[in-house]
Amino acid sequence: MRTSVSSPSLSLLLLLLVGVLVTTLYFHQHPSSSNIPIQNLHSHHHGVHDSSSTVTHPLDPLTFRELAKVHSVLSAHYSPGPVPSVHSLSLHEPDKPLVLSFRHGVDPLPPRRASVVAFDSSSNRVHQLLVDLASAAVLRHDVDSRPSGYPRLTQEDLSRAMSTALGDEGFVAAVRSRGLDPADLVCGPLSSGWFGPEEAAGFRVVKIECYALGRGADRSPNFFMRPVEGLVALVNLDAGRVIRIVNRNREIPVDPGEDTDYRYSAQRSRPASHGLPVNPMSMEQAKGRSFKVEGGHTIRWAGWEVHIKPDARAGMVVSRARVVDPDTGEWRDVMYKGMVSELFVPYMDPTEGWYFKTYMDAGEYGMGMTAMPLVRLNDCPRGAYYMDAVFAGADGRPFVRPDVVCVFEKYDGDVTWRHSEALIQEIDIREARPKVTLVARTAASVGNYDYIVDWEFQTDGLMRIKVSLSGMLMVKGTVYRNTSQVPEQEDLYGTLLAENLIGVVHDHFVTFYLDMDVDGPGNSFVKMHMAKQKTSPGESPRKSYVRVTKDVAKTEGEAKIKLKLSDPSEFHVVNPSRRSKVGNPSGYKIVPSATAASLLDEDDPPQYRSAFTNNQIWVTPYNRSEEWAGGLLAYQSQGDDTLATWSDRDRPIENKDIVMWYTLGFHHIPCQEDYPIMPTVSSSFDLKPVNFFRRNPILGAAPYFEKDLPTCKPLASL
Amino acid sequence: MRTSVSSPSLSLLLLLLVGVLVTTLYFHQHPSSSNIPIQNLHSHHHGVHDSSSTVTHPLDPLTFRELAKVHSVLSAHYSPGPVPSVHSLSLHEPDKPLVLSFRHGVDPLPPRRASVVAFDSSSNRVHQLLVDLASAAVLRHDVDSRPSGYPRLTQEDLSRAMSTALGDEGFVAAVRSRGLDPADLVCGPLSSGWFGPEEAAGFRVVKIECYALGRGADRSPNFFMRPVEGLVALVNLDAGRVIRIVNRNREIPVDPGEDTDYRYSAQRSRPASHGLPVNPMSMEQAKGRSFKVEGGHTIRWAGWEVHIKPDARAGMVVSRARVVDPDTGEWRDVMYKGMVSELFVPYMDPTEGWYFKTYMDAGEYGMGMTAMPLVRLNDCPRGAYYMDAVFAGADGRPFVRPDVVCVFEKYDGDVTWRHSEALIQEIDIREARPKVTLVARTAASVGNYDYIVDWEFQTDGLMRIKVSLSGMLMVKGTVYRNTSQVPEQEDLYGTLLAENLIGVVHDHFVTFYLDMDVDGPGNSFVKMHMAKQKTSPGESPRKSYVRVTKDVAKTEGEAKIKLKLSDPSEFHVVNPSRRSKVGNPSGYKIVPSATAASLLDEDDPPQYRSAFTNNQIWVTPYNRSEEWAGGLLAYQSQGDDTLATWSDRDRPIENKDIVMWYTLGFHHIPCQEDYPIMPTVSSSFDLKPVNFFRRNPILGAAPYFEKDLPTCKPLASL
């Protein structure tokens, strides 16, 4: 590891090697392995790939060329002054009716437009612009001079915060006061949350914390495991100065740890594991893959057609999910748009260096901006199709991040349906059908944590949305080396993972935006409530049964759902105007799996800002300005523009174009197995057809026969 | 389909084609494709297979030869009288200390013994015997003359019940009164539950219901979709006579349905689906599979060693699960024994023909007895290893059911851990590790329903237990052909699936016995309770955080857990005497996922009998007689011998050999997609190491490189 090079990073933890040159931080100007200027794209892309340079669908993201054009429009628009810092620049999606009516290959594309969010720190103004590509015109330019929140931090912001701290004599003195050499540290810019005007009023703040790289043989890229506990610099990002330095807990050592380096290249010296070796496996198809990609982003597979694209904030956006009806051949709408809307990660330690760690990863850092190229063969299986992201930097110029999304088919030996006649052996019914699905994946590395988000499509019409967590814990230094040393009344706020290291308890809440359009936009949200019904005396030998009652939510207030095992419902999004032959409304249901609810006080500032986690499910009427559950401007937001505040208007939602929101939660009490890198933990939820199809749509699926499967040989024998 | 042949079957529905000859029902005498006499075993078994004829492990199931010997011991023991009907005959597992101390290849096997449960219907007595194989001695013979419940029904019981009904003039007249020809019917023997002494006192009863096969082109093996609604015969099984005939709802037609035949052979005439074809996939390994099988039942894979066997009642038993510590090479105990203990399936319709449908599938029918041979390539992937079951029939004679359990490795493109440095691009950290697991599977076809049970083992020490449901719904005939015809105040107790067919609401509760031995038998159950802690004024800018408090359950009463999203805990089984270097006790936690709680009244007879579903988790002290949550004698049980009654003793469980019980529940409101056969629905729970390993045990796992993966070609090109 070279220490002389810049290393901006972010999020739960965004990091900077000391000695940064701010000028190297514009990665679109200084491409590394992860960001590639357009002229190198073709040589880079071996194998399956699309460079996303043509637009064939109204929802296709802005291309490199289009982004460059927006940049020149902005330059001209602001000329002779400078363009404010660009925090978001992406396709302004055409209005929904235009997209819904668009016929591929028949209609011309709707006008291509860009949405821009920029910030002028000198005047503390947020600019929102709408740029028309064809006319090179700025159609709208709104300026908000008193924002209650700010846009996502840019790379420039992050590096500026870090260089401000490290250029501050007091901070450097504090580092040295702990016997540390700044050259051996990695420092990270942390979002500061919002805890009232004392810390920040009228400007943006970032907190800087540092980690030790270690020295000599102890040097490890897993600096996350070596916090300099209790040292925090509060930086006024806009003024470029340190406001406050906290330097507590100097008695806590920066422990060198053991074997924290997780890189494969560092494993050579490790003793062999005592188990049996596991031979590598691969999912193989004799006839090759069975999905088609049109225009880079439209995926067709089995009965599905879906548009998938990377997004700087959401990570990945899934649009226009449609299935073909196997009985009629009709293409039927299921979901107009689905994505991660926000991610709330509160840590459960109220002390000085920790209370503010209450991240909103999508709105503060960006799930796409932090999505690095997927590792071929390891993040995604052989044969996957990869999509590049084309994003804009703070100066408005485009860059390409390759392999941000992968798409692949999956078969794991599961069964999609089966039946054997247990004892009618003469009929000899032994029917089973293997299950093959299609997965679209992205993985964000928001500082220490890695979030893998999968959208999985099944042949039976089900969509499974899965979030997997890995990466490194955010750990806390401590004087204790054994739990026996901890006084009984003392709360560690976590688990002792190793000598001098605590894994602090925290939660993850991933809130999904799910614009369901079941057979079109006119949908209702129906609770199918299950409850004990006692029988009347003499009615039945049974004293009770479970009775299902149907409850159509009239307004948003009736669709705020807290899940309860003892008081369960199914939750259907139905199209009341489309009924099956026997009269059931066409629907999809949301099927939660393991999840967690936020336990914080609703008045606690982080919870108030992330009030979208107060319920597991919400339903709102479609409103194109309501996509980001924590507000468009989430950084230092004060909670006045969240899903909770929108929903408090209690608007009608019956037989309307509605959006469902679901929060997938995780409580995380760390354990030693999470050290020094965490085995993946996953949970998911399903969107599942319910009386949508006339009957099982995969009744006619074929079983496998030996002749269908590939013939494989070890390399040596071919 | 031939109608002249017998077709005993069972459960939710056990079926009999009219014209049965009772003598053909002993399938060990009349082997079909599913049950094979020993002399044909070798010719039958192509491919990977073990015939389980040798015993190398104290827990290996009784072999064919051993079972035959038990049969001869029983014959001699009862001579000159007949041997009562054998309802259960399996290995009497040696006492736990003997098994734990057994050293493979060093110690002689502990004495091989058999447990026998027999029933003499003429005297209404249950016999329990313990037979020693070596000495050919009956070591114990207990007779219970007033059982509150009865053993699992045998094939003979089922066929006798059906032939009794179909031999009854009144019942045949009732069939004809509905315009039906008995020759076109399939009838099934249903367990009757227990609703007080009015129906049955001192004898066993079975209820018989019938289904139409259809005629001509309408003929379908999916008779489940054609109920003869309202016709029920109550049969005194022991006296062999019909007690009561209910013949209601004659106005409800037996609808021929459409396209209900799900067999592949029936799909030829179906129009092609409109989606793209999905090419078959296979999981392939260039170096072949990486698990080893010793003695037919001991599986070694990665860091795991585990003993797996089929079981007539539980379906599959997983024993002696141990993992190797990657740091030390020490083999460490995790779980002594895990299995499905009982399965409770109450239907939610209190009317005459339905109220009693409250099955206890393991105790009434047997999850292994109803497990048919797995379909190669479709129930399990290519390359799976298959285990046969050797069970005993009602006459005590052994038979072989092939391919009841399969074991295979799984890779689906998932990631076992990963990290990318989002923006420290110069370090270029892009580490990801593919996830390969080992799965052991069995599938029971309990009448209409199919239950797939998977035990999955991960390299990081996690065990995932998954239950998947498929097969056919239990449906109810109705006069309605459209929901618009249903009067508003009328409760259908389900969903109209097709003309004249209701899918009745029901639940499934799968209760698992989990004898955890984390680093040995001395374990405690610890609740890690998470709750909001408000901060004191001035303590922190935060108003709240989540505080974890540790609560060790002293007695059974403190370990009855109802899961609550708003009041969560983690549940650890720890070994208080084994602490890590930093002082944490070694543990495994149970991690629930989607589940459902029973909503029935605790005093409702079915719920009282299945009171083991009153909580999601229970913990009891180990007691070898407490394995079956609904009691050893579950048929017509009255709820006086269940997990709930044992646990009411409130025995000490701290630092004891303890057993954890977990109930995985499903609410099922049927939908049209479940017709005529259900797409698989799954849920799972995990047993996961928590401070068991010093650190992530798979830190040293290798990534894939292209050279590791197999080279595969379509058949034609090789």
Side-chain angles (χ1 to χ4, degrees):
Chain A
M1 176 185 274
R2 292 170 292 153
T3 58
S4 60
V5 194
S6 72
S7 54
S9 180
L10 46 88
S11 163
L12 300 196
L13 272 219
L14 307 187
L15 307 154
L16 177 64
L17 295 182
V18 183
V20 163
L21 293 174
V22 173
T23 52
T24 68
L25 294 169
Y26 298 92
F27 47 71
H28 54 282
Q29 294 175 343
H30 297 266
S32 75
S33 59
S34 300
N35 300 305
I36 297 176
I38 199 73
Q39 66 271 19
N40 294 344
L41 262 179
H42 292 291
S43 60
H44 167 77
H45 291 298
H46 44 85
V48 185
H49 191 267
D50 179 87
S51 63
S52 313
S53 58
T54 55
V55 176
T56 63
H57 191 286
L59 299 176
D60 281 351
L62 295 177
T63 62
F64 195 96
R65 197 178 304 269
E66 288 177 325
L67 283 167
K69 182 158 185 187
V70 175
H71 176 249
S72 65
V73 172
L74 290 175
S75 299
H77 179 69
Y78 281 99
S79 177
V83 178
S85 172
V86 172
H87 292 247
S88 168
L89 198 180
S90 61
L91 177 74
H92 178 84
E93 293 187 354
D95 284 341
K96 207 163 157 176
L98 279 177
V99 176
L100 290 173
S101 63
F102 175 78
R103 290 165 301 167
H104 182 73
V106 178
D107 298 322
L109 283 169
R112 299 283 288 170
R113 290 174 178 170
S115 277
V116 182
V117 178
F119 178 64
D120 177 5
S121 63
S122 60
S123 65
N124 195 40
R125 285 165 193 252
V126 174
H127 293 228
Q128 292 188 57
L129 303 98
L130 179 63
V131 176
D132 184 73
L133 271 290
S135 63
V138 174
L139 302 180
R140 218 169 57 222
H141 182 175
D142 301 326
V143 178
D144 178 359
S145 58
R146 303 191 59 186
S148 92
Y150 295 96
R152 175 173 54 76
L153 297 178
T154 63
Q155 291 314 110
E156 189 181 20
D157 291 331
L158 299 171
S159 55
R160 182 178 164 91
M162 295 184 283
S163 57
T164 299
L166 291 164
D168 183 86
E169 279 183 23
F171 190 71
V172 171
V175 167
R176 294 200 191 279
S177 77
R178 302 169 77 113
L180 296 167
D181 181 345
D184 291 335
L185 297 187
V186 170
C187 297
L190 309 183
S191 64
S192 57
W194 191 82
F195 292 89
E198 305 80 50
E199 278 183 350
F203 55 89
R204 300 179 299 155
V205 292
V206 168
K207 293 198 172 173
I208 300 293
E209 289 192 341
C210 299
Y211 295 81
L213 277 164
R215 294 199 136 185
D218 277 338
R219 204 162 183 85
S220 164
N222 197 349
F223 41 79
F224 291 112
M225 295 302 121
R226 295 173 180 174
V228 179
E229 194 57 43
L231 176 63
V232 186
L234 180 65
V235 172
N236 177 330
L237 189 54
D238 298 325
R241 59 187 174 80
V242 172
I243 302 175
R244 195 170 75 230
I245 295 168
V246 176
N247 190 11
R248 296 181 175 194
N249 304 120
R250 288 186 228 183
E251 74 283 9
I252 298 176
V254 179
D255 199 272
E258 281 179 77
D259 288 341
T260 62
D261 192 346
Y262 48 87
R263 291 174 304 173
Y264 184 59
S265 59
Q267 306 304 311
R268 304 279 153 79
S269 60
R270 221 174 269 289
S273 164
H274 298 270
L276 295 171
V278 176
N279 297 337
M281 282 191 110
S282 179
M283 294 179 285
E284 299 290 338
Q285 289 165 296
K287 294 182 185 170
R289 68 179 194 217
S290 28
F291 63 94
K292 295 194 192 317
V293 184
E294 291 169 4
H297 296 97
T298 300
I299 312 287
R300 293 184 61 221
W301 175 79
W304 284 99
E305 185 186 282
V306 61
H307 188 274
I308 294 172
K309 60 182 170 188
D311 182 86
R313 182 161 181 172
M316 175 166 65
V317 173
V318 174
S319 302
R320 291 293 277 134
R322 304 194 298 157
V323 291
V324 71
D325 193 309
D327 283 326
T328 63
E330 177 194 6
W331 281 96
R332 298 172 64 185
D333 290 352
V334 175
M335 185 184 73
Y336 185 75
K337 187 174 184 176
M339 61 180 183
V340 171
S341 175
E342 194 47 276
L343 217 163
F344 174 43
V345 187
Y347 284 75
M348 301 307 175
D349 181 337
T351 60
E352 175 65 32
W354 282 81
Y355 73 89
F356 60 88
K357 293 175 180 173
T358 56
Y359 304 101
M360 295 167 77
D361 282 331
E364 294 180 338
Y365 299 109
M367 298 297 283
M369 271 296 178
T370 59
M372 291 294 102
L374 294 158
V375 182
R376 292 180 181 227
L377 296 188
N378 291 291
D379 272 326
C380 309
R382 181 151 73 170
Y385 165 82
Y386 292 86
M387 271 180 215
D388 296 345
V390 189
F391 293 149
D395 63 357
R397 289 177 207 258
F399 65 90
V400 176
R401 176 88 51 81
D403 297 358
V404 161
V405 167
C406 72
V407 178
F408 59 90
E409 285 169 282
K410 164 180 154 178
Y411 166 71
D412 64 2
D414 269 355
V415 173
T416 198
W417 62 257
R418 87 178 305 274
H419 184 61
S420 286
E421 278 304 328
L423 294 171
I424 308 189
Q425 295 169 7
E426 292 74 12
I427 308 185
D428 201 23
I429 290 183
R430 308 270 179 272
E431 299 280 345
R433 301 293 181 272
K435 183 173 191 166
V436 175
T437 62
L438 184 82
V439 176
R441 171 173 296 168
T442 189
S445 295
V446 197
N448 51 321
Y449 250 101
D450 290 56
Y451 295 95
I452 304 168
V453 178
D454 285 354
W455 283 75
E456 183 174 7
F457 301 88
Q458 296 191 176
T459 54
D460 62 1
L462 182 145
M463 283 185 273
R464 173 160 294 177
I465 298 95
K466 183 165 86 168
V467 176
S468 304
L469 312 180
S470 189
M472 258 67 65
L473 284 174
M474 180 161 269
V475 297
K476 181 180 183 176
T478 176
V479 293
Y480 302 120
R481 299 176 68 80
N482 192 289
T483 56
S484 62
Q485 300 169 335
V486 184
E488 205 177 328
Q489 70 280 10
E490 183 170 336
D491 190 349
L492 292 185
Y493 307 113
T495 308
L496 197 67
L497 300 178
E499 283 93 344
N500 305 117
L501 268 196
I502 293 166
V504 176
V505 175
H506 58 282
D507 290 340
H508 303 265
F509 298 105
V510 190
T511 298
F512 284 86
Y513 171 94
L514 303 164
D515 180 2
M516 303 302 291
D517 275 16
V518 178
D519 282 317
N523 287 180
S524 294
F525 181 71
V526 180
K527 293 171 276 186
M528 302 291 280
H529 184 237
M530 289 169 267
K532 175 170 70 180
Q533 175 73 46
K534 290 210 176 199
T535 55
S536 316
E539 179 187 352
S540 168
R542 282 278 282 278
K543 291 191 177 166
S544 67
Y545 64 100
V546 173
R547 186 184 165 105
V548 178
T549 49
K550 194 170 166 172
D551 181 11
V552 180
K554 301 268 185 285
T555 66
E556 292 175 283
E558 295 175 12
K560 296 178 179 178
I561 306 297
K562 293 192 204 303
L563 299 175
K564 259 179 107 171
L565 197 64
S566 61
D567 185 24
S569 293
E570 282 193 358
F571 304 100
H572 296 194
V573 174
V574 304
N575 187 322
S577 341
R578 168 123 182 187
R579 293 195 173 255
S580 68
K581 193 177 170 196
V582 298
N584 295 307
S586 165
Y588 259 70
K589 63 179 174 180
I590 184 164
V591 185
S593 181
T595 192
S598 182
L599 304 174
L600 295 178
D601 201 285
E602 289 198 5
D603 290 332
D604 201 4
Q607 186 62 34
Y608 190 72
R609 297 173 69 217
S610 292
F612 51 87
T613 61
N614 289 353
N615 300 301
Q616 282 78 57
I617 299 174
W618 313 66
V619 179
T620 57
Y622 174 79
N623 178 340
R624 71 170 291 157
S625 74
E626 296 174 2
E627 284 198 328
W628 308 108
L632 178 70
L633 306 175
Y635 198 86
Q636 275 171 233
S637 64
Q638 298 176 18
D640 49 0
D641 179 31
T642 71
L643 170 55
T645 61
W646 313 330
S647 193
D648 274 349
R649 280 177 277 170
D650 203 21
R651 295 162 290 187
I653 54 169
E654 187 179 5
N655 202 4
K656 301 270 183 209
D657 188 358
I658 56 177
V659 176
M660 182 162 59
W661 306 76
Y662 179 69
T663 294
L664 180 56
F666 300 82
H667 295 304
H668 192 170
I669 303 175
C671 61
Q672 289 184 229
E673 286 80 1
D674 294 331
Y675 173 88
I677 189 166
M678 293 178 281
T680 304
V681 168
S682 300
S683 191
S684 64
F685 65 97
D686 294 343
L687 297 168
K688 186 175 180 183
V690 56
N691 303 314
F692 181 86
F693 295 110
R694 182 169 70 88
R695 55 173 185 161
N696 182 339
I698 48 170
L699 185 60
Y704 283 174
F705 300 99
E706 187 63 39
K707 67 174 174 52
D708 300 327
L709 301 183
T711 302
C712 304
K713 302 274 183 193
L715 259 180
S717 72
L718 277 175
Chain B
M1 176 186 276
R2 291 170 294 153
T3 58
S4 60
V5 194
S6 72
S7 54
S9 179
L10 44 91
S11 163
L12 301 195
L13 271 218
L14 307 188
L15 306 153
L16 178 63
L17 295 181
V18 183
V20 163
L21 293 176
V22 173
T23 51
T24 67
L25 295 169
Y26 298 91
F27 46 73
H28 54 281
Q29 295 176 343
H30 298 269
S32 74
S33 59
S34 299
N35 300 306
I36 297 178
I38 200 71
Q39 65 273 20
N40 294 343
L41 263 179
H42 293 290
S43 61
H44 167 77
H45 289 297
H46 43 85
V48 186
H49 192 266
D50 179 88
S51 63
S52 314
S53 56
T54 54
V55 176
T56 63
H57 190 285
L59 299 176
D60 280 351
L62 295 177
T63 62
F64 195 97
R65 195 179 307 268
E66 288 176 325
L67 283 167
K69 182 157 186 189
V70 175
H71 176 248
S72 66
V73 172
L74 289 175
S75 298
H77 179 71
Y78 281 100
S79 178
V83 178
S85 172
V86 172
H87 292 247
S88 169
L89 199 181
S90 60
L91 177 74
H92 178 83
E93 295 187 353
D95 284 340
K96 207 164 158 176
L98 279 178
V99 176
L100 289 173
S101 64
F102 175 78
R103 288 163 303 165
H104 181 72
V106 178
D107 298 324
L109 282 169
R112 299 284 288 170
R113 290 173 177 170
S115 277
V116 183
V117 179
F119 179 65
D120 176 5
S121 62
S122 61
S123 65
N124 195 41
R125 284 164 194 254
V126 174
H127 295 228
Q128 292 188 59
L129 303 98
L130 180 62
V131 175
D132 184 74
L133 271 289
S135 63
V138 173
L139 302 181
R140 216 169 59 221
H141 182 175
D142 301 325
V143 178
D144 177 1
S145 59
R146 303 191 58 186
S148 91
Y150 295 96
R152 176 173 54 75
L153 296 178
T154 63
Q155 292 313 110
E156 189 182 21
D157 290 330
L158 299 170
S159 56
R160 182 176 162 92
M162 295 183 284
S163 58
T164 299
L166 290 163
D168 183 85
E169 279 185 23
F171 190 70
V172 170
V175 168
R176 295 199 191 279
S177 77
R178 301 170 76 111
L180 296 167
D181 182 345
D184 292 335
L185 296 188
V186 170
C187 297
L190 309 183
S191 65
S192 57
W194 190 81
F195 292 89
E198 305 80 51
E199 278 184 351
F203 54 88
R204 299 178 301 155
V205 291
V206 167
K207 293 199 170 170
I208 301 291
E209 288 193 341
C210 298
Y211 295 81
L213 278 164
R215 293 200 136 183
D218 277 338
R219 204 162 183 87
S220 164
N222 196 350
F223 41 79
F224 291 110
M225 296 301 119
R226 294 173 180 174
V228 179
E229 193 58 43
L231 177 64
V232 186
L234 180 66
V235 172
N236 177 331
L237 189 55
D238 298 326
R241 58 185 174 80
V242 171
I243 303 175
R244 195 171 76 229
I245 295 167
V246 176
N247 189 11
R248 295 182 175 192
N249 305 118
R250 289 186 228 183
E251 72 285 7
I252 296 175
V254 179
D255 199 272
E258 280 179 78
D259 289 340
T260 62
D261 192 347
Y262 49 86
R263 292 175 304 172
Y264 184 59
S265 59
Q267 306 303 311
R268 304 279 152 79
S269 59
R270 221 175 269 290
S273 163
H274 298 270
L276 296 171
V278 176
N279 296 338
M281 282 189 111
S282 180
M283 293 179 286
E284 298 290 340
Q285 289 165 297
K287 295 182 185 168
R289 69 179 192 217
S290 26
F291 63 93
K292 297 195 190 316
V293 185
E294 291 170 4
H297 296 97
T298 300
I299 312 288
R300 293 184 60 221
W301 174 80
W304 284 99
E305 185 186 282
V306 61
H307 187 273
I308 294 172
K309 61 182 169 187
D311 182 87
R313 183 162 182 172
M316 175 166 63
V317 173
V318 174
S319 302
R320 292 292 279 133
R322 303 194 299 157
V323 291
V324 72
D325 193 309
D327 284 325
T328 62
E330 177 194 7
W331 280 96
R332 298 174 62 187
D333 288 354
V334 176
M335 187 183 74
Y336 185 75
K337 187 173 184 177
M339 61 179 183
V340 171
S341 174
E342 192 48 275
L343 217 164
F344 174 43
V345 188
Y347 283 74
M348 302 305 174
D349 181 337
T351 62
E352 176 65 32
W354 282 80
Y355 72 87
F356 61 87
K357 294 176 179 171
T358 55
Y359 304 101
M360 294 167 77
D361 281 331
E364 293 178 340
Y365 298 110
M367 298 297 282
M369 271 296 178
T370 59
M372 291 293 103
L374 293 158
V375 182
R376 292 182 180 225
L377 295 188
N378 291 290
D379 271 327
C380 309
R382 179 151 73 170
Y385 165 84
Y386 291 86
M387 270 181 214
D388 296 346
V390 189
F391 294 148
D395 62 357
R397 288 177 207 258
F399 64 92
V400 176
R401 177 88 51 80
D403 297 358
V404 161
V405 167
C406 72
V407 178
F408 59 91
E409 285 170 282
K410 164 179 153 178
Y411 166 70
D412 64 2
D414 268 356
V415 173
T416 198
W417 61 257
R418 86 178 305 275
H419 183 62
S420 285
E421 278 303 329
L423 294 170
I424 309 191
Q425 295 169 7
E426 291 75 12
I427 309 185
D428 201 25
I429 291 183
R430 309 269 178 273
E431 299 281 344
R433 300 293 181 271
K435 182 173 190 165
V436 174
T437 62
L438 184 83
V439 177
R441 173 173 294 168
T442 188
S445 296
V446 197
N448 52 323
Y449 251 100
D450 290 56
Y451 296 93
I452 305 168
V453 178
D454 286 353
W455 284 74
E456 183 175 6
F457 300 87
Q458 296 191 176
T459 54
D460 61 1
L462 184 146
M463 283 185 272
R464 172 161 295 176
I465 298 94
K466 184 166 86 168
V467 176
S468 305
L469 313 180
S470 188
M472 259 67 66
L473 283 174
M474 180 160 269
V475 297
K476 180 179 183 176
T478 175
V479 294
Y480 303 119
R481 300 176 67 81
N482 192 288
T483 56
S484 63
Q485 300 169 334
V486 184
E488 204 176 330
Q489 70 281 10
E490 184 169 337
D491 189 349
L492 292 184
Y493 307 112
T495 308
L496 197 67
L497 300 178
E499 283 93 343
N500 304 116
L501 268 197
I502 293 166
V504 175
V505 174
H506 58 281
D507 290 339
H508 303 265
F509 299 105
V510 190
T511 297
F512 285 86
Y513 171 94
L514 304 164
D515 179 3
M516 304 301 291
D517 275 16
V518 179
D519 282 317
N523 287 178
S524 294
F525 180 71
V526 179
K527 294 171 274 185
M528 301 291 280
H529 184 238
M530 289 168 266
K532 175 171 72 182
Q533 173 74 44
K534 289 211 178 198
T535 54
S536 316
E539 179 188 354
S540 167
R542 283 277 283 278
K543 292 192 177 165
S544 67
Y545 64 100
V546 172
R547 187 184 166 105
V548 179
T549 49
K550 195 169 166 171
D551 181 12
V552 181
K554 302 268 187 281
T555 66
E556 291 176 284
E558 294 175 16
K560 296 179 179 177
I561 306 296
K562 293 191 204 301
L563 299 175
K564 260 180 107 171
L565 196 63
S566 61
D567 186 24
S569 292
E570 282 193 359
F571 304 100
H572 297 193
V573 174
V574 303
N575 187 322
S577 341
R578 169 124 181 183
R579 296 198 171 249
S580 67
K581 192 177 169 196
V582 299
N584 295 306
S586 166
Y588 259 70
K589 63 179 174 180
I590 183 164
V591 186
S593 181
T595 191
S598 182
L599 305 174
L600 296 177
D601 201 284
E602 289 198 6
D603 292 331
D604 202 4
Q607 185 63 34
Y608 190 72
R609 296 172 68 218
S610 292
F612 51 86
T613 63
N614 289 354
N615 301 301
Q616 282 79 56
I617 299 174
W618 313 65
V619 178
T620 57
Y622 174 80
N623 178 339
R624 71 170 289 156
S625 74
E626 297 175 2
E627 284 197 330
W628 307 108
L632 178 71
L633 305 175
Y635 198 85
Q636 276 171 232
S637 65
Q638 298 176 21
D640 48 1
D641 179 31
T642 70
L643 171 56
T645 60
W646 313 331
S647 192
D648 273 349
R649 281 177 276 169
D650 203 23
R651 295 163 288 187
I653 56 170
E654 187 179 4
N655 202 4
K656 302 269 183 209
D657 188 359
I658 56 177
V659 176
M660 182 162 59
W661 306 76
Y662 180 70
T663 294
L664 180 56
F666 299 82
H667 296 304
H668 192 171
I669 305 175
C671 61
Q672 288 184 231
E673 285 80 1
D674 294 331
Y675 173 88
I677 189 165
M678 294 178 281
T680 304
V681 168
S682 300
S683 192
S684 64
F685 66 97
D686 295 342
L687 297 169
K688 187 176 178 181
V690 57
N691 304 315
F692 181 86
F693 295 110
R694 182 169 69 88
R695 55 173 185 163
N696 182 338
I698 49 170
L699 184 61
Y704 282 175
F705 300 98
E706 186 63 39
K707 67 174 174 50
D708 301 327
L709 301 182
T711 302
C712 305
K713 304 271 183 193
L715 260 179
S717 73
L718 278 174

